[in-house]
Amino acid sequence: MPTSQGCVSEQELSRCYMGEGLVPLTADGKEDIDIGRALAITKALLMEIVNCENFEFDYGATVETNEIYVQMDRWISLAMKNIETLAPTPPNCPVATTLFLYGNLEMKSIPDDFFEHMNHLKVLHLSCTTLISLSSSISHLHNRLRFIKLQNCLSLETFPHSFKYLESLQLLDLHNTPLSRVPDDSFDHMYSLRLLDLSHTKICSLSSSICNCCKLKQLFLKAQITAIASSIAPSHIIYRP
């Protein structure tokens, strides 16, 4: 989908749609993520996408007001807007389900209470930012948030502690981040996780709490990783050198 923020691939949209629940993660009674099937559904849904790109503010400046968070249906895009700092006042977006903040290369942090009034958020796309950590208020979304994408966040060295509470999370993409370890309790409540991408990270072993991810069907890892829980079927592991 071409927009003023760039081009979003159909596969990218498919994962977002999965997070939204528009593309089922199960098909014909089978517990599988079928990307090909998802792409087909995505093509049928493309015409229904709400294009939320009409947000105007000074490039490179601090975002000062909630006006830019005006909702056009459920999808909000602040992608590739040269945002450096988000407003300290949490945006009031109670019906938003998808938030794009990717491509803001100078955005290093998110205010602690940023997600407090986003009670229905399901998809959060933060790739290609310089985030060092994530807002603790993300834990408020423990029974809603389904998809988090942090690909190419080259300053994210620590696995966010608040992730452990996201019991509805289904897709977590940490591809090409400098993460070196995952704390022991990181997956304690991730009972719904189906896809985890840790490829092109510095992680060499996985926490035993990965056993709690009983629905995990796709685990992307670098080739040399060790200590993988025996509960994960070899057929569900995809190695990327």
Side-chain angles (χ1 to χ4, degrees):
M1 180 184 69
T3 71
S4 64
Q5 288 89 24
C7 185
V8 180
S9 70
E10 287 178 351
Q11 183 166 3
E12 188 83 0
L13 282 174
S14 292
R15 288 192 173 184
C16 290
Y17 276 149
M18 285 178 179
E20 284 266 16
L22 296 173
V23 174
L25 288 173
T26 58
D28 303 324
K30 297 179 181 179
E31 293 289 327
D32 256 331
I33 296 174
D34 188 336
I35 295 295
R37 181 173 177 273
L39 285 172
I41 296 174
T42 295
K43 289 178 181 179
L45 290 170
L46 277 174
M47 296 302 295
E48 299 179 17
I49 279 192
V50 177
N51 189 357
C52 304
E53 60 184 50
N54 298 316
F55 301 101
E56 299 295 336
F57 51 93
D58 292 334
Y59 284 79
T62 299
V63 179
E64 295 291 355
T65 73
N66 277 341
E67 293 176 1
I68 63 164
Y69 300 111
V70 172
Q71 298 157 62
M72 297 175 65
D73 200 33
R74 300 169 303 150
W75 285 48
I76 298 174
S77 178
L78 296 173
M80 299 177 69
K81 290 289 190 178
N82 291 339
I83 296 173
E84 296 178 2
T85 308
L86 291 164
T89 303
N92 186 22
C93 301
V95 301
T97 57
T98 291
L99 175 61
F100 289 150
L101 281 167
Y102 66 85
N104 291 299
L105 301 178
E106 301 301 321
M107 191 174 71
K108 298 180 180 179
S109 64
I110 295 176
D112 283 343
D113 55 357
F114 185 79
F115 298 105
E116 282 191 359
H117 305 306
M118 294 187 178
N119 298 329
H120 289 85
L121 196 67
K122 296 178 181 179
V123 174
L124 181 59
H125 195 334
L126 298 166
S127 294
C128 300
T129 60
T130 48
L131 288 172
I132 298 172
S133 62
L134 284 187
S135 164
S136 59
S137 64
I138 201 170
S139 60
H140 290 290
L141 307 174
H142 65 95
N143 63 346
R144 289 287 182 182
L145 200 58
R146 296 181 180 181
F147 175 34
I148 300 177
K149 190 174 182 65
L150 288 159
Q151 185 179 36
N152 298 322
C153 289
L154 302 181
S155 297
L156 189 70
E157 298 182 355
T158 304
F159 192 91
H161 177 73
S162 52
F163 280 7
K164 63 179 288 187
Y165 302 107
L166 301 177
E167 58 191 46
S168 295
L169 194 64
Q170 297 179 1
L171 299 98
L172 176 57
D173 187 347
L174 293 161
H175 170 80
N176 198 33
T177 58
L179 291 173
S180 57
R181 64 179 296 270
V182 178
D184 290 342
D185 59 352
S186 295
F187 302 107
D188 277 0
H189 303 287
M190 290 192 188
Y191 313 119
S192 303
L193 194 65
R194 294 171 180 268
L195 185 152
L196 174 61
D197 194 339
L198 295 172
S199 59
H200 293 265
T201 66
K202 298 178 181 178
I203 294 172
C204 295
S205 63
L206 284 179
S207 160
S208 59
S209 65
I210 193 75
C211 296
N212 293 310
C213 304
C214 54
K215 295 184 178 181
L216 191 62
K217 296 299 179 184
Q218 290 190 0
L219 174 60
F220 294 89
L221 300 170
K222 64 179 182 179
Q224 64 267 40
I225 201 167
T226 59
I228 301 172
S230 58
S231 60
I232 301 175
S235 60
H236 295 162
I237 302 173
I238 300 99
Y239 289 104
R240 289 174 173 167

